[in-house]
């Protein structure tokens, strides 16, 4: 009898776990993958995909408003939340089935169960069955944080529940300043809710370029979203179907829903990590791993959000693939975490790759800053009060473009492509040599001739 039941046991059927299971099976490994909720994980079931579908739904509002300037008269439009949610759920169920089928086609076996460690090679399923595995991959993802247990915290929803509300809230309070909070603020505003965003720090999108932060906030405010910064929700009371949020600034707000999107934590609790000897990274609370995603235990690896490195779907997928190639494909691969493009699907959208201005100035002695802030051509006819921001950061000594930041319609699509150039270490001269594609917003990226500022670091800085 073989010493192990399987060569690889994957805990978690999300973006990273599924990719790792399929690729490992393709390399000939006997693979079992456990999923306690729904195949596809956060991204497919309650993250990127359903969110993007709702972002599309929310954009229709602007399209209808903008139509008049182009000669269209559209009778008063109505929006039906249950239809959106039902259609979204149908698409998510289709994707879940596709994920399941693809895993099964690869030869990996799915067990619909929670799995926890008994020891470094033994996993216990909810049924009580034990499975012995040569290698284990922890791909358990993350979960929303609710922060400290303020009075009334039980009334608060997170991004897990927001996809299943029975009705569109007429008024919603959203606490948080990161990308999930902003995206849902814009989704609800677009669908017709009255939205108040509350954030404890001085401005939204901490960690993003300062110009992006200011631009996004201004655009969201122009769109009717109330943004209160330097303030927190301290308690929530429920009166019938209504909630009152009491805030640190002494004011109170009535709403039909209160959502917190104040961060996510890695799913490490109650996994039996101590029985397996797997160490936590004290710096970020995720599972500690090396460049090959190996944990403190020789036969146990961890990828994706549970490692709390860069919590994005394509990163989890890349890490899962690299793990499978390294351990089962005889091809050691380390994932390069530099210059990862990222987006915020608020309105208007944010797309960014590379360094922020502050990071560029800290890293390079001479930084050229190219900035364009303009009214998009569509807005001239629609009359919408909106502006696009484009920003390039260039290491002036090598002419390399080290950062690109865009706020405007299509920013995410643009930045995915700019990211290729940035990854290839393109110079500003390469951008300049590229012919503009007219009339687009993106042509601004190759026509910004003169730096709006040059930052030269003083010797003592
Ligand atoms: P997950 O996809 O979270 O999968 C982990 C799986 O493990 C889950 O299905 C869970 O049920 C299962 N599990 C946990 N513990 C156990 C156990 N003990 N036994 C069995 N199963 C277990 N990223 C982007 O790139 N772009 C976006 O636009 C984007 N939008 C997002 C929007 C929201 C609202 C959220 C919440 C996230 C978003 N993300 C986005 C992040 C993205 O979803 C994650 O980075 C990605 O899903 C991480 O993949 P993963 O494989 O690490 O974990």
């Amino acid at each position: 009898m073989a010493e192990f039941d399987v060569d690889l046991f994957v805990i978690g059927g999300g973006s990273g776990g599924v990719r790792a299971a399929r690729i490992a099976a393709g390399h000939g490994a006997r693979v079992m993958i456990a999923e306690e909720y729904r195949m596809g994980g956060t991204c497919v079931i309650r993250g990127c995909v359903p969110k993007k579908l709702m972002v599309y739904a929310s954009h229709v509002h602007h399209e209808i408003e903008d139509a008049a300037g182009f000669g269209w008269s559209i009778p008063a439009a109505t929006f039906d939340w249950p239809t959106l949610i039902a259609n979204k759920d149908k698409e998510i169920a289709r994707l879940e089935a596709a994920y399941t089928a693809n895993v099964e086609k690869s030869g990996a076996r799915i067990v619909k169960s929670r799995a926890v460690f008994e020891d470094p090679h033994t996993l216990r399923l909810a049924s009580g069955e034990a499975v012995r595995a040569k290698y284990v991959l922890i791909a358990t993802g993350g979960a929303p944080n609710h922060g400290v247990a303020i009075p009334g915290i039980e009334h608060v929803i997170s991004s897990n529940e927001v996809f299943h509300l029975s009705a569109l809230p007429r008024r919603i309070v959203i606490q948080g300043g990161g990308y999930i909070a902003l995206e849902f603020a814009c989704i609800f505003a677009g669908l017709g809710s009255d939205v108040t965003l509350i954030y404890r720090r001085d401005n939204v999108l901490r960690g993003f370029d300062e110009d992006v932060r200011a631009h996004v906030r201004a655009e969201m405010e122009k769109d009717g979203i109330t943004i209160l910064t330097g303030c927190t929700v301290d308690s929530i009371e429920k009166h019938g179907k209504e909630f009152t949020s009491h805030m640190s600034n002494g004011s109170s707000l009535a709403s039909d829903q209160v959502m917190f999107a104040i961060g996510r934590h890695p799913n490490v609790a109650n996994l039996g990590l101590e029985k397996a000897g797997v160490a936590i990274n004290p710096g970020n609370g995720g599972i500690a791993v090396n460049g090959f995603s190996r944990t403190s235990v020789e036969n146990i690896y961890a990828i994706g959000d549970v490692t709390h490195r860069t919590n994005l779907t394509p990163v989890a997928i890349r890490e899962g693939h690299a793990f499978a190639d390294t351990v089962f494909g005889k091809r050691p691969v380390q994932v390069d975490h530099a210059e990862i493009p990222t987006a915020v699907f608020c309105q208007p959208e944010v797309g960014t790759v590379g360094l922020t201005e502050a990071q560029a100035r800290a890293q390079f002695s001479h930084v050229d800053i190219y900035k364009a802030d303009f009214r998009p051509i569509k807005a001239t006819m629609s009359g919408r009060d909106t502006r696009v921001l484009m920003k390039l950061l260039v290491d002036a000594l090598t002419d390399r473009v080290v950062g690109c930041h865009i706020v405007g319609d299509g920013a995410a699509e643009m930045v995915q492509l700019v990211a290729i150039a940035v990854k290839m270490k393109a110079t500003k001269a390469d951008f300049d040599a590229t012919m503009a594609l007219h009339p687009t917003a993106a042509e601004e990226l190759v026509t910004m001739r003169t730096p709006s500022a040059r930052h030269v670091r003083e010797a003592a800085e």
Side-chain angles (χ1 to χ4, degrees), residues 11-17 34-38 40-43 46-48 51 113-116 139-142 159 163 179-180 183-184 264 267 271 303-306 311-314 316 345:
I11 315 177
S15 308
E35 171 53 55
E36 66 176 344
Y37 182 53
R38 293 176 67 182
T42 304
C43 171
R46 45 195 184 188
C48 337
K51 170 198 80 187
S113 167
R114 183 168 173 80
V116 297
T140 51
S159 62
F163 295 112
Y179 80 96
I180 295 177
E183 289 173 344
F184 278 99
R264 292 175 61 80
N267 272 334
L271 265 182
I303 50 133
D305 285 11
V306 75
N311 296 340
L312 292 169
T313 288
F345 294 99

Side-chain angles (χ1 to χ4, degrees), residues 27 105 138 142-143 173 180 188 285 295 307 324:
H27 287 312
K105 220 168 12 177
I138 308 170
V173 167
I180 295 177
F188 282 112
T295 70
T307 61

Side-chain angles (χ1 to χ4, degrees), residues 199-271:
Y199 184 48
R200 71 192 162 111
R201 294 179 187 268
D202 63 327
N203 202 3
V204 296
L205 291 182
R206 190 161 71 96
F208 282 74
D209 187 272
E210 290 300 327
D211 285 323
V212 168
R213 299 175 75 187
H215 197 95
V216 166
R217 180 178 186 159
E219 288 288 321
M220 285 174 65
E221 286 176 333
K222 276 194 274 183
D223 221 18
I225 296 171
T226 304
I227 301 180
L228 303 175
T229 46
C231 171
T232 53
V233 176
D234 285 353
S235 67
I236 299 137
E237 280 176 308
K238 186 167 193 244
H239 316 278
K241 288 187 169 170
E242 192 177 283
F243 302 96
T244 307
S245 301
H246 299 285
M247 275 146 351
S248 55
N249 64 5
S251 66
S252 303
L253 257 179
S255 69
D256 309 295
Q257 287 291 347
V258 182
M259 175 178 174
F260 281 11
I262 55 175
R264 292 175 61 80
H265 61 263
N267 272 334
V268 293
N270 308 318
L271 265 182

Side-chain angles (χ1 to χ4, degrees), residues 108-166:
R109 193 180 138 208
I110 299 171
V111 278
K112 293 301 295 288
S113 167
R114 183 168 173 80
V116 297
F117 282 100
E118 275 297 304
D119 65 46
H121 286 284
T122 311
L123 285 308
R124 181 78 58 193
L125 304 182
S127 63
E129 187 193 339
V131 180
R132 297 268 303 152
K134 187 169 182 199
Y135 289 96
V136 182
L137 179 68
I138 308 170
T140 51
N145 266 346
H146 261 358
V148 288
I150 56 167
I153 191 77
E154 67 278 10
H155 304 310
V156 171
I157 60 163
S158 71
S159 62
N160 282 352
E161 293 77 38
V162 76
F163 295 112
H164 303 287
L165 299 179
S166 58

